[in-house]
Amino acid sequence: VQLQAFGGGLVQPGGSLRLSCAASGFTGFSLDLYAVGWFRQAPGKEREGVGCVSGSGAPPIYADSAKGRFTVSRDSARNTVYLQMNSLKSEDTAVYYCAAAYRPRLRACQNFAYDYWGQGTQVTVSS
């Protein structure tokens, strides 16, 4: 399973960005069978879960810092998971990663629960 995260950039405080996590794999691969999580790592800090979605249709779960501002969604036809980020703050500045786990019922947002990782995409929130 290969994951590619993109869509980062420089945005002003209060602005929005949408990150995409595109997945590919063997013939017949479906990202719907995987739990997918978005994580971020700021300089000098540990990687933390931001928002994660199972493959079972249950609602995504979010870190407290993301609730009400970030939304995780899936596009099954494109094998892609999105992270819509609104009302961005300077403290959201980090490298953002997506990850997947072949456990569709997984509803967790901890690093150790995920097996496949994409490269990061930088998000910088600054005026």
Side-chain angles (χ1 to χ4, degrees):
V1 176
Q2 291 83 45
L3 303 173
Q4 183 178 8
F6 55 94
L10 174 65
V11 62
Q12 292 186 343
S16 298
L17 275 178
R18 188 177 79 161
L19 305 184
S20 300
C21 177
S24 61
F26 49 84
T27 302
F29 169 82
S30 172
L31 191 59
D32 286 350
L33 298 178
Y34 293 73
V36 178
W38 283 99
F39 298 81
R40 68 185 181 187
Q41 188 166 21
K45 295 188 177 181
E46 294 186 353
R47 188 175 300 183
E48 63 174 352
V50 175
C52 299
V53 62
S54 71
S56 64
I61 57 175
Y62 299 97
D64 287 344
S65 59
K67 287 178 182 176
R69 299 188 301 126
F70 293 5
T71 303
V72 178
S73 62
R74 288 181 179 268
D75 184 335
S76 298
R78 290 182 168 82
N79 277 330
T80 298
V81 172
Y82 302 102
L83 178 67
Q84 176 68 44
M85 304 186 293
N86 299 327
S87 302
L88 283 162
K89 307 174 182 179
S90 58
E91 51 263 43
D92 295 318
T93 295
V95 178
Y96 284 71
Y97 301 86
C98 63
Y102 188 47
R103 280 171 285 176
R105 296 182 180 179
L106 176 67
R107 295 195 78 227
C109 225
Q110 287 81 32
N111 293 338
F112 63 80
Y114 290 80
D115 307 306
Y116 305 98
W117 289 81
Q119 88 294 353
T121 184
Q122 176 71 46
V123 172
T124 302
V125 184
S126 175
S127 55

